[in-house]
Amino acid sequence: MRKSILCLTFLCLQAGALRAQVTLAERASGRTDFELVTADSGSPVCYDAADAAVVGTAAGLFAADVARVTGREIPVVAGQELPAGTRYAVIVGTVGQSRWIDELAAAKKLDVSAIEGGWERYTLRLVDRPGHGLRKALVIAGSDRRGTAYGLLSVSRAIGVSPWYWWADAPVEHRERLTLRVADYTSAAPSVKYRGIFINDEDWGLYRWAKENFEKELGNIGPKTYEKVCELLLRLQANYLAPAMHDATTAFYKIPENRAIADRYAIAIGSSHCEPLGLNTASEWDSKTRGEWDYVNNKAGVDRALKERVETSAPYENVYTLALRGLHDRAMAGSEDLDARKATMQEALLAQRQILADVLGKPAEEIPQVFTPYKEVLDVYNRGLQLPDDVTIIWPDDNYGYMKRLSSPEEQRRSGRSGVYYHSSYLGRPHDYLWMNTTSPTLMYEELRKAYDSTADRVWLLNAGDIKSCEFAVDFFLAMAYDIDSFDFRRAATYRAEWMSGLLGREYFDEFQKIADTFYHLAFVRKPEFMGWGYQWATDKYGKERNTDTDFSFANYREGDRRLEAYTQIAGRVTSLLERMPEENKACFYQVLYYPVKACELLNRMVLSGQQNRLYATQQRAATESLAAESRMCHDSLRVITAGYNALLGGKWDHVMTMNQGFAASYFQLPELRSASLAGQAELGITVEGEDVTKGMRSFHALPAFNTFLRQSYFVDVYNKGAEPLSWNASASDDWIVLSRSAGTTRTEERIEVSVDWEQVPAGERVLGSVTFRGAGGEELVLVSVFNPASPSREEVEGLYIQHNGYISIPAANFHRKHENDAIRIRPVPNLGVENAAIQLGDPAAAKQNTRRRDVPGVEYDFYTFEQGSVDVYTYVLPTFVISADRGYAGHEATNLETQYGVSIDEGPVMNPSTSSIEYAQIWYESVLRNCRVNKTTLHIGKPGRHTLKILCGDAGTVLQKIVLDFGGMKRSYQGPPPTRVE
């Protein structure tokens, strides 16, 4: 019992919204303790029936939560007539709307001055002798209706009921009694005023689940689903919902009960960027009765429909979207002349504001309104669209997690300020990601923090897809929106483990963190949905993506092997955890960690085994069929564990999870598999590491050069090309060549590790040896080259990055020196980048630096090369955009049209590559699919020896992942070669 109490205390301390305001104690021992449930009684929760509806809703939820924990009902009192003999009570109410709260304030027993008139704030106190015969009361007073509800439901969290108890089936630990240790607490206003989600891409998950399972009677998403959504949002201290809007879904406003439910949970209703004033044009606009959706030729019809919508929604809290796009999220029809489009949109937006003012009977500037310059609308906005100052601009990301634009210095002065529309799920070019949410938390924090610092504090809206699979992203996004200052890069990198520990137990935190760190790194490098390596909608000739080999190399740098090994490791861990989990935890664990990790592992194994199978078929390897079988097994296992997800808890989530999502995706399909034509007898085959081109390039086998400064091994694959077992043996030309095995028998293949005995190998820059492999069908010679110069010694270059096989590879986070100034600090970014750690060159809100200045901030990396002359320097950076369209005068012979950072060697010239590109340009396609823009800069080295590479801050906020210097030896791969630092 004591261990579980400590675990809960830790979780309360971790949760930014709770700030340790209430913790659980084993028994009452002082004045700060409150006995909510004892062995023979339970304290009622009391509110004023005249208070806002959500207060009664929250009181009911809280009472139900107490019952979930203890199995005992506590009374809910909608007034001041308490059950006979009541001595302890929970009192909850809104300042100015609750007799309970106002009487306590008038009697000086409760100070509400700190929250009065505030936005969604609450104060929590223990009050002795509050009146009505009570000895003690836990009093929660809110500044407004949501503040009150948030305060009460924060106690639900403290007693062990997660906001995800229903949506993720988070277990609730049973307790016989509940004793609360209460610290006086007053909440701050949330960081962002309106915080919520947009249900999107629901055709494949949430829609089918509601239709076939949860709301069969309706056959669609409706009140039962929206009640669960609104409850989740309220428990997560959110307040904003943009309902599902695809034409498959019944429009939110077509069912009156939907809006009543939202009001009961105090959730403000908004709409997506393409639904003006909440009108779902995808399913509510009937061209037969209303004419075409065309503001140029049917202005009166459009405005009439919009007015009807506002009249319907007027009794409730709304955030109104000003918009003019085509039906179903398409571009607006009309002239291709941008000025004409701007004029049409200008007229439409002003008409929408007038409709709001007329129907609601108040000045337009007092009505919450948002405008989202999404896709082509941004071009119209940039053309000079005049947006009223009070309208909040919702800046969208590029659909792949990178903010396209943020408020300029001029826009930051607008009274409406700004917000963000961010994606954790997306359908569109160049490729969908609808199945599994794998967006890096540290990337989300980096992008959203810079948005917040640019005045995006009015509205945060997350495209949450079907909610299922996006549970963590929803929680993380809303937690940041509620209290952005409780986060930094380190907490962002550990928040998934923190969140899952809150659901399943603190004792799992370390294991969760190890798994999550690897999971996000692998998916950052390549999302599972992108593993088919195809583009969608790239040609009208083919409707679907055409899967190909990946760019992960099995020949170079063991890249494919390392990816599979990492996935196998974390898949083994989640499988072991699932087996060890208490039965009551398994359904939750399956959803929030087991399925995401295991499914991504199986998908990657399926694809990469298929890739190896096709390669092996060209080499006529006997192992070809075993790889085909492996790929098929992974494909079948994916179906099994997906069915297992849908079968959880007696089919509660049946139909919600499917891999077959999107109109044009093929990543989930069984890859093309081939067969080999084997010889009747055994036949020897050899492939060596680094041999990615096997025909037409050289007529001998040669391993990459061994380097005394790094001292690694390389592999030789001995494989059979026949139907009978292959017996083989190997012999080295010199004693300093070490083989992991020198003989064996195999039906398929064996991997031999070749290394060097550095105590015996001769000194020299061109030491040569060989290994001869013999078997049925002949023998193969493998050349062994060793680079073992007498000078410099390993001690002389220890800690430097050294040339190896014609390249130098440098992880950005492991720099030798940094140079900072008052504005620019070099910040480490964990769990991000191709090497799983990156650096940010200053705060994105800081001013641009001049990379030509001698004192410009930056980082330095010392390296040693044996070459001179030209070198190609590849820098791997996050593909971030220029965050402001109005950056002022660029200066003489300078540009503000793209981001810049500096690259130089020693005191040589400074080159200025960019992180940004035009959206939908080819470089953008490639960059967002790999979460990395790779820039090539050719520089010059005057002589062999020690040198310094400098990466200089230009645009503050540039995130650097990795650097590779290519002297002509870098081989094809996806992530580039591993680091070459002498340790």
Side-chain angles (χ1 to χ4, degrees), residues 708-711 794-795 797-802 809 811 814 816 979-983:
T708 186
F709 304 105
L710 300 180
R711 300 192 173 184
R794 295 186 79 236
E795 291 72 22
V797 294
E798 185 176 358
L800 304 184
Y801 296 98
I802 199 156
S809 182
N814 292 340
H816 288 98
T980 59
R981 184 167 176 147
V982 182
E983 302 293 353

PDB file of all heavy atoms in Angstrom, residues 708-711 794-795 797-802 809 811 814 816 979-983:
ATOM      1  N   THR A 708      43.021   2.027 -37.776  1.00  0.00           N
ATOM      2  CA  THR A 708      43.526   1.851 -36.411  1.00  0.00           C
ATOM      3  C   THR A 708      42.892   2.811 -35.414  1.00  0.00           C
ATOM      4  O   THR A 708      42.869   2.540 -34.212  1.00  0.00           O
ATOM      5  CB  THR A 708      45.059   2.015 -36.372  1.00  0.00           C
ATOM      6  OG1 THR A 708      45.521   1.692 -35.067  1.00  0.00           O
ATOM      7  CG2 THR A 708      45.472   3.453 -36.718  1.00  0.00           C
ATOM      8  N   PHE A 709      42.382   3.921 -35.909  1.00  0.00           N
ATOM      9  CA  PHE A 709      41.824   4.913 -35.005  1.00  0.00           C
ATOM     10  C   PHE A 709      40.412   4.545 -34.533  1.00  0.00           C
ATOM     11  O   PHE A 709      39.964   5.014 -33.495  1.00  0.00           O
ATOM     12  CB  PHE A 709      41.817   6.280 -35.686  1.00  0.00           C
ATOM     13  CG  PHE A 709      43.175   6.702 -36.156  1.00  0.00           C
ATOM     14  CD1 PHE A 709      43.512   6.651 -37.495  1.00  0.00           C
ATOM     15  CD2 PHE A 709      44.136   7.122 -35.248  1.00  0.00           C
ATOM     16  CE1 PHE A 709      44.775   7.024 -37.935  1.00  0.00           C
ATOM     17  CE2 PHE A 709      45.405   7.494 -35.672  1.00  0.00           C
ATOM     18  CZ  PHE A 709      45.729   7.440 -37.016  1.00  0.00           C
ATOM     19  N   LEU A 710      39.706   3.700 -35.283  1.00  0.00           N
ATOM     20  CA  LEU A 710      38.328   3.310 -34.928  1.00  0.00           C
ATOM     21  C   LEU A 710      38.211   1.827 -34.578  1.00  0.00           C
ATOM     22  O   LEU A 710      37.374   1.446 -33.774  1.00  0.00           O
ATOM     23  CB  LEU A 710      37.375   3.663 -36.068  1.00  0.00           C
ATOM     24  CG  LEU A 710      37.315   5.146 -36.438  1.00  0.00           C
ATOM     25  CD1 LEU A 710      36.334   5.373 -37.572  1.00  0.00           C
ATOM     26  CD2 LEU A 710      36.939   6.012 -35.234  1.00  0.00           C
ATOM     27  N   ARG A 711      38.977   0.968 -35.220  1.00  0.00           N
ATOM     28  CA  ARG A 711      39.132  -0.432 -34.852  1.00  0.00           C
ATOM     29  C   ARG A 711      37.808  -1.197 -34.791  1.00  0.00           C
ATOM     30  O   ARG A 711      37.462  -1.770 -33.761  1.00  0.00           O
ATOM     31  CB  ARG A 711      39.894  -0.548 -33.529  1.00  0.00           C
ATOM     32  CG  ARG A 711      41.292   0.060 -33.617  1.00  0.00           C
ATOM     33  CD  ARG A 711      42.176  -0.289 -32.455  1.00  0.00           C
ATOM     34  NE  ARG A 711      43.540   0.188 -32.691  1.00  0.00           N
ATOM     35  CZ  ARG A 711      44.576  -0.033 -31.881  1.00  0.00           C
ATOM     36  NH1 ARG A 711      44.400  -0.756 -30.777  1.00  0.00           N
ATOM     37  NH2 ARG A 711      45.776   0.435 -32.183  1.00  0.00           N
ATOM     38  N   ARG A 794      47.211   7.217 -31.862  1.00  0.00           N
ATOM     39  CA  ARG A 794      45.798   7.292 -31.446  1.00  0.00           C
ATOM     40  C   ARG A 794      45.620   8.308 -30.316  1.00  0.00           C
ATOM     41  O   ARG A 794      44.601   8.984 -30.231  1.00  0.00           O
ATOM     42  CB  ARG A 794      45.286   5.925 -30.998  1.00  0.00           C
ATOM     43  CG  ARG A 794      45.262   4.903 -32.121  1.00  0.00           C
ATOM     44  CD  ARG A 794      44.614   3.593 -31.696  1.00  0.00           C
ATOM     45  NE  ARG A 794      43.152   3.709 -31.706  1.00  0.00           N
ATOM     46  CZ  ARG A 794      42.385   3.457 -30.654  1.00  0.00           C
ATOM     47  NH1 ARG A 794      42.921   3.115 -29.506  1.00  0.00           N
ATOM     48  NH2 ARG A 794      41.077   3.558 -30.747  1.00  0.00           N
ATOM     49  N   GLU A 795      46.616   8.399 -29.451  1.00  0.00           N
ATOM     50  CA  GLU A 795      46.525   9.347 -28.340  1.00  0.00           C
ATOM     51  C   GLU A 795      46.504  10.789 -28.841  1.00  0.00           C
ATOM     52  O   GLU A 795      45.812  11.660 -28.280  1.00  0.00           O
ATOM     53  CB  GLU A 795      47.704   9.146 -27.378  1.00  0.00           C
ATOM     54  CG  GLU A 795      47.681   7.847 -26.589  1.00  0.00           C
ATOM     55  CD  GLU A 795      47.988   6.626 -27.439  1.00  0.00           C
ATOM     56  OE1 GLU A 795      48.614   6.793 -28.520  1.00  0.00           O
ATOM     57  OE2 GLU A 795      47.595   5.512 -27.043  1.00  0.00           O
ATOM     58  N   VAL A 797      45.147  11.969 -31.527  1.00  0.00           N
ATOM     59  CA  VAL A 797      43.876  12.363 -32.156  1.00  0.00           C
ATOM     60  C   VAL A 797      42.673  11.935 -31.319  1.00  0.00           C
ATOM     61  O   VAL A 797      41.540  12.015 -31.780  1.00  0.00           O
ATOM     62  CB  VAL A 797      43.756  11.770 -33.575  1.00  0.00           C
ATOM     63  CG1 VAL A 797      44.800  12.372 -34.494  1.00  0.00           C
ATOM     64  CG2 VAL A 797      43.856  10.255 -33.547  1.00  0.00           C
ATOM     65  N   GLU A 798      42.925  11.490 -30.095  1.00  0.00           N
ATOM     66  CA  GLU A 798      41.809  11.067 -29.242  1.00  0.00           C
ATOM     67  C   GLU A 798      40.821  12.221 -29.054  1.00  0.00           C
ATOM     68  O   GLU A 798      41.206  13.362 -28.794  1.00  0.00           O
ATOM     69  CB  GLU A 798      42.332  10.603 -27.886  1.00  0.00           C
ATOM     70  CG  GLU A 798      41.236  10.039 -27.001  1.00  0.00           C
ATOM     71  CD  GLU A 798      41.781   9.486 -25.704  1.00  0.00           C
ATOM     72  OE1 GLU A 798      43.026   9.509 -25.510  1.00  0.00           O
ATOM     73  OE2 GLU A 798      40.971   9.035 -24.875  1.00  0.00           O
ATOM     74  N   GLY A 799      39.536  11.918 -29.220  1.00  0.00           N
ATOM     75  CA  GLY A 799      38.495  12.930 -29.073  1.00  0.00           C
ATOM     76  C   GLY A 799      38.178  13.683 -30.343  1.00  0.00           C
ATOM     77  O   GLY A 799      37.198  14.434 -30.392  1.00  0.00           O
ATOM     78  N   LEU A 800      39.002  13.500 -31.388  1.00  0.00           N
ATOM     79  CA  LEU A 800      38.747  14.173 -32.663  1.00  0.00           C
ATOM     80  C   LEU A 800      37.881  13.279 -33.558  1.00  0.00           C
ATOM     81  O   LEU A 800      37.862  12.055 -33.413  1.00  0.00           O
ATOM     82  CB  LEU A 800      40.055  14.489 -33.386  1.00  0.00           C
ATOM     83  CG  LEU A 800      41.102  15.325 -32.655  1.00  0.00           C
ATOM     84  CD1 LEU A 800      42.272  15.606 -33.596  1.00  0.00           C
ATOM     85  CD2 LEU A 800      40.503  16.615 -32.125  1.00  0.00           C
ATOM     86  N   TYR A 801      37.223  13.899 -34.517  1.00  0.00           N
ATOM     87  CA  TYR A 801      36.554  13.154 -35.585  1.00  0.00           C
ATOM     88  C   TYR A 801      37.579  12.922 -36.685  1.00  0.00           C
ATOM     89  O   TYR A 801      38.255  13.862 -37.121  1.00  0.00           O
ATOM     90  CB  TYR A 801      35.343  13.921 -36.104  1.00  0.00           C
ATOM     91  CG  TYR A 801      34.284  14.078 -35.043  1.00  0.00           C
ATOM     92  CD1 TYR A 801      34.175  15.242 -34.288  1.00  0.00           C
ATOM     93  CD2 TYR A 801      33.406  13.033 -34.767  1.00  0.00           C
ATOM     94  CE1 TYR A 801      33.218  15.369 -33.299  1.00  0.00           C
ATOM     95  CE2 TYR A 801      32.442  13.153 -33.776  1.00  0.00           C
ATOM     96  CZ  TYR A 801      32.357  14.323 -33.041  1.00  0.00           C
ATOM     97  OH  TYR A 801      31.407  14.431 -32.066  1.00  0.00           O
ATOM     98  N   ILE A 802      37.701  11.676 -37.107  1.00  0.00           N
ATOM     99  CA  ILE A 802      38.811  11.345 -37.992  1.00  0.00           C
ATOM    100  C   ILE A 802      38.307  10.779 -39.311  1.00  0.00           C
ATOM    101  O   ILE A 802      37.238  10.151 -39.377  1.00  0.00           O
ATOM    102  CB  ILE A 802      39.763  10.339 -37.307  1.00  0.00           C
ATOM    103  CG1 ILE A 802      41.133  10.344 -37.991  1.00  0.00           C
ATOM    104  CG2 ILE A 802      39.160   8.924 -37.274  1.00  0.00           C
ATOM    105  CD1 ILE A 802      42.254   9.870 -37.098  1.00  0.00           C
ATOM    106  N   SER A 809      32.177  11.524 -40.064  1.00  0.00           N
ATOM    107  CA  SER A 809      30.774  11.660 -39.653  1.00  0.00           C
ATOM    108  C   SER A 809      30.709  12.210 -38.232  1.00  0.00           C
ATOM    109  O   SER A 809      31.402  11.715 -37.334  1.00  0.00           O
ATOM    110  CB  SER A 809      30.064  10.310 -39.733  1.00  0.00           C
ATOM    111  OG  SER A 809      28.698  10.454 -39.386  1.00  0.00           O
ATOM    112  N   PRO A 811      28.059  13.612 -35.132  1.00  0.00           N
ATOM    113  CA  PRO A 811      26.739  13.888 -34.555  1.00  0.00           C
ATOM    114  C   PRO A 811      26.718  15.313 -33.994  1.00  0.00           C
ATOM    115  O   PRO A 811      27.619  15.703 -33.251  1.00  0.00           O
ATOM    116  CB  PRO A 811      26.600  12.840 -33.444  1.00  0.00           C
ATOM    117  CG  PRO A 811      27.999  12.495 -33.067  1.00  0.00           C
ATOM    118  CD  PRO A 811      28.856  12.714 -34.284  1.00  0.00           C
ATOM    119  N   ASN A 814      27.502  16.384 -30.247  1.00  0.00           N
ATOM    120  CA  ASN A 814      28.822  16.152 -29.641  1.00  0.00           C
ATOM    121  C   ASN A 814      29.854  17.115 -30.213  1.00  0.00           C
ATOM    122  O   ASN A 814      30.801  16.726 -30.892  1.00  0.00           O
ATOM    123  CB  ASN A 814      29.250  14.705 -29.851  1.00  0.00           C
ATOM    124  CG  ASN A 814      28.383  13.735 -29.070  1.00  0.00           C
ATOM    125  OD1 ASN A 814      27.724  14.118 -28.118  1.00  0.00           O
ATOM    126  ND2 ASN A 814      28.383  12.481 -29.485  1.00  0.00           N
ATOM    127  N   HIS A 816      32.821  20.192 -29.897  1.00  0.00           N
ATOM    128  CA  HIS A 816      33.975  20.438 -29.035  1.00  0.00           C
ATOM    129  C   HIS A 816      33.872  21.766 -28.302  1.00  0.00           C
ATOM    130  O   HIS A 816      34.306  21.874 -27.149  1.00  0.00           O
ATOM    131  CB  HIS A 816      35.272  20.398 -29.859  1.00  0.00           C
ATOM    132  CG  HIS A 816      35.650  19.025 -30.298  1.00  0.00           C
ATOM    133  ND1 HIS A 816      35.364  18.537 -31.559  1.00  0.00           N
ATOM    134  CD2 HIS A 816      36.274  18.013 -29.637  1.00  0.00           C
ATOM    135  CE1 HIS A 816      35.818  17.292 -31.660  1.00  0.00           C
ATOM    136  NE2 HIS A 816      36.365  16.944 -30.523  1.00  0.00           N
ATOM    137  N   PRO A 979      29.057   7.844 -36.535  1.00  0.00           N
ATOM    138  CA  PRO A 979      30.108   8.781 -36.110  1.00  0.00           C
ATOM    139  C   PRO A 979      31.497   8.174 -36.184  1.00  0.00           C
ATOM    140  O   PRO A 979      31.696   6.970 -35.991  1.00  0.00           O
ATOM    141  CB  PRO A 979      29.725   9.095 -34.663  1.00  0.00           C
ATOM    142  CG  PRO A 979      28.249   8.839 -34.592  1.00  0.00           C
ATOM    143  CD  PRO A 979      27.997   7.694 -35.514  1.00  0.00           C
ATOM    144  N   THR A 980      32.485   9.026 -36.451  1.00  0.00           N
ATOM    145  CA  THR A 980      33.879   8.573 -36.590  1.00  0.00           C
ATOM    146  C   THR A 980      34.776   9.299 -35.582  1.00  0.00           C
ATOM    147  O   THR A 980      35.864   9.767 -35.929  1.00  0.00           O
ATOM    148  CB  THR A 980      34.391   8.806 -38.020  1.00  0.00           C
ATOM    149  OG1 THR A 980      34.301  10.209 -38.333  1.00  0.00           O
ATOM    150  CG2 THR A 980      33.588   8.014 -39.027  1.00  0.00           C
ATOM    151  N   ARG A 981      34.326   9.386 -34.369  1.00  0.00           N
ATOM    152  CA  ARG A 981      35.117  10.024 -33.315  1.00  0.00           C
ATOM    153  C   ARG A 981      36.062   8.995 -32.700  1.00  0.00           C
ATOM    154  O   ARG A 981      35.677   7.855 -32.434  1.00  0.00           O
ATOM    155  CB  ARG A 981      34.210  10.605 -32.245  1.00  0.00           C
ATOM    156  CG  ARG A 981      34.935  11.374 -31.148  1.00  0.00           C
ATOM    157  CD  ARG A 981      33.955  12.174 -30.319  1.00  0.00           C
ATOM    158  NE  ARG A 981      34.616  12.855 -29.209  1.00  0.00           N
ATOM    159  CZ  ARG A 981      34.246  14.041 -28.729  1.00  0.00           C
ATOM    160  NH1 ARG A 981      33.206  14.666 -29.289  1.00  0.00           N
ATOM    161  NH2 ARG A 981      34.847  14.581 -27.714  1.00  0.00           N
ATOM    162  N   VAL A 982      37.301   9.390 -32.472  1.00  0.00           N
ATOM    163  CA  VAL A 982      38.282   8.507 -31.851  1.00  0.00           C
ATOM    164  C   VAL A 982      38.040   8.516 -30.347  1.00  0.00           C
ATOM    165  O   VAL A 982      38.129   9.565 -29.698  1.00  0.00           O
ATOM    166  CB  VAL A 982      39.716   8.964 -32.169  1.00  0.00           C
ATOM    167  CG1 VAL A 982      40.717   7.995 -31.550  1.00  0.00           C
ATOM    168  CG2 VAL A 982      39.919   9.076 -33.673  1.00  0.00           C
ATOM    169  N   GLU A 983      37.735   7.376 -29.800  1.00  0.00           N
ATOM    170  CA  GLU A 983      37.431   7.288 -28.361  1.00  0.00           C
ATOM    171  C   GLU A 983      38.560   6.586 -27.618  1.00  0.00           C
ATOM    172  O   GLU A 983      39.300   5.795 -28.174  1.00  0.00           O
ATOM    173  CB  GLU A 983      36.114   6.519 -28.146  1.00  0.00           C
ATOM    174  CG  GLU A 983      34.928   7.147 -28.855  1.00  0.00           C
ATOM    175  CD  GLU A 983      34.508   8.497 -28.303  1.00  0.00           C
ATOM    176  OE1 GLU A 983      35.062   8.899 -27.255  1.00  0.00           O
ATOM    177  OE2 GLU A 983      33.628   9.149 -28.906  1.00  0.00           O
TER     178      GLU A 983
END
